[in-house]
Amino acid sequence: MTKTALVCGAGGFIGGHLVRKLKAEGYWVRGVDIKEHEFMPSAADEFLLLDLREEPNCQAALRLGDGTFDEVYQLAADMGGMGFIHTAECEIMHNSALINIHMIHNAAQMGVPRYFFSSSVCVYRDMKPGEPEMTEAEAIPANPDNEYGWEKLYAERMAMAYARHHDIKVRIARFQNCYGPYGTWRGGREKAPAAICRKVAEAEDGGTIEVWGDGTAIRSYTYVDDMIDGIYLLMHSDLEGAVNIGCPQYVTVDELVATVAEVAGKRIHIRHVEGPVGVQSRNFSNERIYSLGWRARYYLKDGIARTYPWIEEQVRAARGG
Ligand code: NAD
């Protein structure tokens, strides 16, 4: 029997890549999103345009013939980089919470056996540079830096409550920053790696780009293929509770710029400007996902080498040549 999967948020960056992975693994896949994918045709067998803030739409997404799906991957969220996260606080808390409330409730009611929820390391408090690794359990007591993190924490707990009281297995990943081709690269929702790639692509050799903050904020960036491998492994594992997935290489924002400039073959100067930066530092344990055999295959330079050419091509096309 062919396995069936529902991917919510299939018109987005990670969801679009996940559909391809599931197709490659032999699944029959339905993708659902409020919009079509901007940058690639969906690989799903069926793609439904639905607003998942509406409960009947969640039920329609989950219904397959007389039953439901073997696996549901819930990635739909109102989402963006730091600029978006710090301005659209009400939209994020309202829209993403509605999606998550209706999706887990109806998945449990309809008898979905396995449910994946995409959380974020934004659930953790800020850290100081040099602090030891934080484990998943240390998200509590909670003090996320932004409302996006609080909504994720609530949605995680709600999904785990349904797993305790219904016959549904829930798997939760806390993603570190994810990047790669076919993701948002302009318009205000793009995240740091895509924004820096765009700015470098737009700059002349020897030019200057503006970077928010003082350039010292520490992050890890996970290439999308690694993230997809992690999602797939976790979904088919017995690991309960939240699981961090992230590349173990931590860099400052200025080091991210230097890596992009190196890949682009350009000399780039940085002008630090006021802007939303988010937390100062990150350092998370990967022991839980490592226990499944997962390892990051792409460190920053390799991932940027696979991402920058795509963004450069978009910049060139947008300029009309
Ligand atoms: P994305 O914005 O590209 O994808 C999210 C998708 O959800 C979008 O296509 C959007 O249209 C869809 N969506 C929003 N509202 C909807 C609605 N009402 N009904 C149906 N669909 C709706 O983001 P992404 O980077 O692919 O992220 C996927 C998931 O991973 C999200 O839950 C996000 O919070 C989480 N995450 C991503 C990162 C990252 O670095 N990209 C990091 C941590 C967590």
Side-chain angles (χ1 to χ4, degrees), residues 12-14 33-34 51-52 75 77 118-119 148 152 178 191:
F13 168 49
I14 303 175
D33 204 292
I34 199 167
D51 182 346
L52 296 173
L75 289 91
S118 55
S119 185
Y148 170 77
K152 289 289 190 197
C178 181
K191 306 195 87 185

Side-chain angles (χ1 to χ4, degrees), residues 2-321:
T2 307
K3 273 197 165 189
T4 57
L6 172 67
V7 178
C8 302
F13 168 49
I14 303 175
H17 283 277
L18 179 61
V19 168
R20 292 187 171 216
K21 164 76 173 173
L22 293 168
K23 283 306 302 166
E25 296 289 339
Y27 284 69
W28 188 91
V29 181
R30 174 185 290 165
V32 173
D33 204 292
I34 199 167
K35 63 161 180 66
E36 306 263 2
H37 204 293
E38 262 180 275
F39 309 114
M40 59 180 176
S42 176
D45 296 281
E46 187 177 74
F47 189 93
L48 304 183
L49 281 174
L50 292 171
D51 182 346
L52 296 173
R53 289 171 300 182
E54 308 284 340
E55 188 167 18
N57 288 343
C58 294
Q59 292 161 346
L62 287 159
R63 198 173 301 120
L64 185 63
D66 294 334
T68 187
F69 288 84
D70 297 316
E71 297 176 9
V72 171
Y73 295 81
Q74 196 331 64
L75 289 91
D78 211 350
M79 139 88 186
M82 272 305 138
F84 180 77
I85 282 178
H86 282 272
T87 51
E89 294 183 319
C90 302
E91 291 84 345
I92 288 168
M93 294 202 95
H94 176 264
N95 296 339
S96 297
L98 281 178
I99 297 170
N100 286 317
I101 287 168
H102 294 319
M103 280 305 302
I104 185 65
H105 177 75
N106 287 287
Q109 296 292 323
M110 290 169 74
V112 168
R114 236 166 229 271
Y115 185 93
F116 174 87
F117 174 59
S118 55
S119 185
S120 162
V121 294
C122 280
V123 301
Y124 296 102
R125 64 165 170 82
D126 195 359
M127 296 178 73
K128 299 210 167 26
E131 256 193 70
E133 283 180 350
M134 224 191 261
T135 64
E136 287 83 352
E138 290 173 277
I140 306 292
N143 190 17
D145 176 65
N146 52 56
E147 305 307 340
Y148 170 77
W150 282 105
E151 191 282 328
K152 289 289 190 197
L153 206 50
Y154 171 69
E156 280 188 9
R157 297 186 72 88
M158 186 170 41
M160 288 191 290
Y162 274 86
R164 284 195 297 276
H165 295 280
H166 296 264
D167 196 12
I168 183 169
K169 288 195 166 46
V170 166
R171 298 292 173 259
I172 299 170
R174 289 181 183 156
F175 299 164
Q176 298 247 29
N177 285 290
C178 181
Y179 70 100
Y182 307 107
T184 305
W185 60 277
R186 65 171 175 182
R189 284 184 186 244
E190 65 279 18
K191 306 195 87 185
I196 303 291
C197 285
R198 185 196 68 233
K199 289 178 184 190
V200 169
E202 287 170 346
E204 302 293 328
D205 186 17
T208 300
I209 66 165
E210 289 192 346
V211 170
W212 289 346
D214 65 5
T216 63
I218 294 167
R219 299 281 185 281
S220 111
Y221 300 97
T222 306
Y223 187 63
V224 64
D225 288 6
D226 284 337
M227 194 61 86
I228 298 294
D229 288 348
I231 294 171
Y232 191 78
L233 261 179
L234 175 58
M235 181 63 147
H236 299 100
S237 77
D238 293 329
L239 277 190
E240 291 178 348
V243 177
N244 298 329
I245 304 181
C247 177
Q249 180 189 17
Y250 286 84
V251 296
T252 65
V253 173
D254 282 357
E255 285 166 342
L256 170 64
V257 175
T259 304
V260 174
E262 188 186 345
V263 166
K266 292 182 183 180
R267 284 161 303 152
I268 294 291
H269 304 284
I270 301 173
R271 186 184 311 125
H272 294 114
V273 297
E274 283 272 309
V277 175
V279 294
Q280 177 57 37
S281 190
R282 285 340 208 160
N283 189 21
F284 299 116
S285 164
N286 273 329
E287 287 313 312
R288 299 201 79 208
I289 192 73
Y290 283 172
S291 75
L292 301 180
W294 182 87
R295 294 293 182 277
R297 287 181 293 143
Y298 301 97
Y299 276 47
L300 189 60
K301 196 172 162 199
D302 296 335
I304 293 293
R306 286 168 166 76
T307 307
Y308 180 79
W310 181 80
I311 294 184
E312 191 186 36
E313 198 185 306
Q314 307 309 303
V315 168
R316 212 178 307 119
R319 279 178 173 161

